Amino acid sequence: MITLGWIVVILLFVIGMVGAVYPILPGVLAIYAAFFIYGWLITWKHFGFWFWLIQTLVVIIIIVADYAVSALGVKKFGGSKPAIVGSTIGLIIGPFVIPAFGIILGPFIGAVVGELIAGTNWQNAIRAGIGSVLGFFASSVVKIVLQLAMIVIFFLWIF
């Protein structure tokens, strides 16, 4: 059971890290789930109040920062609320519609379309699209760093 537990935990860590840049995958929630799998299949003895408090706070920070940093990128480049909504929709749909490049083109196109629907000119719409891509990259960096911190904390806690 221990071997199966470790296989599932490592698999969830990998899914979580890939999910940091590929929004279709659960990302931080996969990493958080790995802790429960470890407890159920291996042991709960390493986990206590402080472990769960720290990890839960990091999960909350990642979820809030993900949306805030992406929205900030759009706003910083002059995008409006429709551009933020379009960017989010593009981020979700893009990888399915344009498999190889949809992860980048989706938010860009979504933000541009959102701005154009809001009545903005092409130049400002393109700028909002660039902001959405930069916001996505910044958000991904934040998620990668914090998710790696979660995994490191896990290993430090159990060993």
Side-chain angles (χ1 to χ4, degrees), residues 6-19 27 30-35 38 147 150-152 154-155:
W6 275 111
I7 290 170
V8 174
V9 165
I10 299 301
L11 182 64
L12 286 170
F13 284 166
V14 170
I15 289 169
M17 292 310 296
V18 172
I31 293 171
Y32 199 64
F35 307 147
Y38 179 87
Q147 288 178 191
M150 289 177 72
I151 294 169
V152 168
F154 167 78
F155 283 113

Side-chain angles (χ1 to χ4, degrees), residues 4 16 26-27 30 33 53 55 58 61 68 75 84-85 98 104-105 109 112 114 134 142 151 156 159:
L4 174 64
L53 178 66
Q55 296 290 18
V58 175
I61 289 167
K75 282 265 190 215
I84 294 170
V85 171
I98 313 167
I104 295 169
L105 290 176
I109 293 168
V112 170
L134 293 177
V142 169
I151 294 169
L156 290 174
F159 290 118

Side-chain angles (χ1 to χ4, degrees), residues 9-78:
V9 165
I10 299 301
L11 182 64
L12 286 170
F13 284 166
V14 170
I15 289 169
M17 292 310 296
V18 172
V21 293
Y22 199 70
I24 305 308
L25 296 174
V28 69
L29 297 179
I31 293 171
Y32 199 64
F35 307 147
F36 287 94
I37 297 298
Y38 179 87
W40 287 322
L41 298 180
I42 300 172
T43 182
W44 291 102
K45 76 177 183 178
H46 303 292
F47 302 146
F49 172 78
W50 289 108
F51 175 83
W52 289 111
L53 178 66
I54 291 166
Q55 296 290 18
T56 302
L57 287 174
V58 175
V59 168
I60 292 168
I61 289 167
I62 289 173
I63 291 170
V64 170
D66 187 23
Y67 293 105
V69 172
S70 293
L72 186 64
V74 175
K75 282 265 190 215
K76 194 92 170 150
F77 280 71

